[in-house]
Amino acid sequence: MNPYEPVDQTDVVVEGLSIGPIVDNIREQGYSVAENFLDPYLLKSIRDAFNTEVPITEMRAIGTQSGRTWRAHNLLAKTRAVDSVFLDQRLRAIVAGVIGKLNQVNITTLFNTLPGETKQFLHQDDGLWPIPRPHPSFLCNVLIAFDPFTKENGATHIVPGSHKLVEPVDQARETIQVEMGSGSALFWEGGTWHAGGANVTTNQERMGLFISHQVSYLRPQESQLISVPREIVKSLPKKMQRLMGYHQFGIGVDGRDPIDVLQDGSVVAPDAALASEWRARYLEG
Ligand SMILES: O=C(O)CCC(=O)C(=O)O
Ligand SMILES: [Fe+2]
């Protein structure tokens, strides 16, 4: 069996949430909304952490022509406030249902779309990887609303079903705008055509937490292996380390599990006993 195959989540319920219909919608329509995905207390604690740990100097106006979308990239290097979202069993089940259980972090970004922002171009987030279409799903994204997303403040535009298209969509193509309340989560398949909306008639910010997962055999858009200092990664739960790319792929590091290398800091196989056992087995045996 292909270990990268999406997991069948039909009839799977995790912490009261039916995973099957959400995964089906992402697979069939290219997107799905999980209402009230994060509770208000967690949302507030993450927002407080952002306010204290991710200072305004960390925000960059990348990916916007008007300069009115501010983002803090490389979030896992800056705060521990969102680790619990990554470890959330409902999130893990949805991502596994779309791209399989061998997945990893692609990027984690705090978005804040400010009044005055214009509509983004319709785009596909998986367009960065030059893989011919159609292709199996390899990217699964989620944008969790901190502020309510409304048509007026720029709720995300989606072209339903467009992840199955081979040719680019026309920029004038009709879209739906996904309105959702604070704490709700919009999931989409990486090939789904979408765009952040215009926020030109309100004075409201539209803040969201963007988390992107990809299959674990691709290079992430923001390399977690480099972008998060090892001293930080060492202190995290093993599941987080795996998600950040410290997983065995092929030979790992000199045959060793990358997590062991992370912990002892040595890239040289340290085990003299193992070396002499191998010598005995293959050279002297
Ligand atoms: O702002 C949004 O709702 C979506 C943003 C987006 O798609 C992107 O920056 O790639
Ligand atoms: Fe996007």
Side-chain angles (χ1 to χ4, degrees):
M1 196 201 125
N2 175 1
Y4 296 98
E5 202 66 41
V7 176
D8 180 2
Q9 303 293 37
T10 317
D11 299 332
V12 171
V13 178
V14 180
E15 292 163 20
L17 183 68
S18 290
I19 304 299
I22 296 176
V23 168
D24 283 352
N25 281 337
I26 303 171
R27 287 193 196 167
E28 298 306 319
Q29 296 300 317
Y31 76 103
S32 186
V33 176
E35 306 278 355
N36 303 316
F37 193 70
L38 295 191
D39 72 56
Y41 300 102
L42 179 58
L43 221 54
K44 181 176 181 322
S45 74
I46 297 176
R47 199 190 263 274
D48 289 347
F50 284 158
N51 286 338
T52 53
E53 297 171 35
V54 188
I56 201 80
T57 50
E58 289 294 336
M59 304 296 281
R60 314 246 189 284
I62 298 180
T64 163
Q65 284 180 337
S66 69
R68 300 300 291 162
T69 298
W70 286 21
R71 297 166 197 234
H73 291 274
N74 194 18
L75 217 47
L76 290 177
K78 296 171 182 168
T79 176
R80 302 274 53 84
V82 295
D83 291 1
S84 67
V85 182
F86 279 97
L87 299 174
D88 186 307
Q89 290 307 309
R90 299 166 306 160
L91 179 88
R92 298 261 50 87
I94 294 168
V95 173
V98 180
I99 58 172
K101 61 180 185 309
L102 298 181
N103 60 69
Q104 64 187 6
V105 177
N106 174 41
I107 17 172
T108 311
T109 308
L110 173 62
F111 280 13
N112 201 3
T113 306
L114 305 177
E117 183 57 292
T118 49
K119 181 171 176 270
Q120 273 185 332
F121 279 102
L122 287 169
H123 62 277
Q124 293 167 298
D125 290 336
D126 72 2
L128 184 65
W129 294 267
I131 300 176
R133 297 175 200 280
H135 56 59
S137 296
F138 63 78
L139 199 68
C140 179
N141 292 346
V142 60
L143 180 55
I144 301 171
F146 277 65
D147 299 312
F149 283 24
T150 65
K151 285 185 180 160
E152 293 72 31
N153 75 6
T156 317
H157 292 253
I158 295 268
V159 182
S162 56
H163 60 311
K164 296 187 176 170
L165 300 175
V166 173
E167 299 300 326
V169 299
D170 193 297
Q171 284 297 324
R173 175 87 176 234
E174 198 184 328
T175 61
I176 55 139
Q177 259 187 294
V178 181
E179 297 193 290
M180 55 183 180
S182 174
S184 293
L186 166 63
F187 289 84
W188 68 92
E189 203 270 357
T192 305
W193 287 85
H194 68 283
N199 183 5
V200 289
T201 58
T202 81
N203 55 10
Q204 302 154 9
E205 300 183 4
R206 181 174 66 95
M207 189 175 117
L209 169 65
F210 177 71
I211 290 179
S212 174
H213 284 85
Q214 63 178 173
V215 290
S216 61
Y217 56 82
L218 288 179
R219 188 193 204 285
Q221 193 167 347
E222 188 164 63
S223 175
Q224 306 295 308
L225 292 174
I226 299 169
S227 58
V228 184
R230 282 193 184 182
E231 285 315 307
I232 292 179
V233 186
K234 270 168 93 164
S235 68
L236 300 181
K238 195 167 172 178
K239 181 68 198 167
M240 280 304 287
Q241 296 170 336
R242 291 277 187 238
L243 283 171
M244 290 162 81
Y246 293 83
H247 50 75
Q248 192 97 25
F249 183 65
I251 56 169
V253 181
D254 204 2
R256 301 175 64 214
D257 186 323
I259 283 188
D260 296 337
V261 176
L262 172 71
Q263 294 304 347
D264 72 22
S266 166
V267 290
V268 179
D271 195 331
L274 188 68
S276 62
E277 185 194 314
W278 280 34
R279 184 172 298 113
R281 196 184 314 159
Y282 295 111
L283 295 179
E284 295 155 11

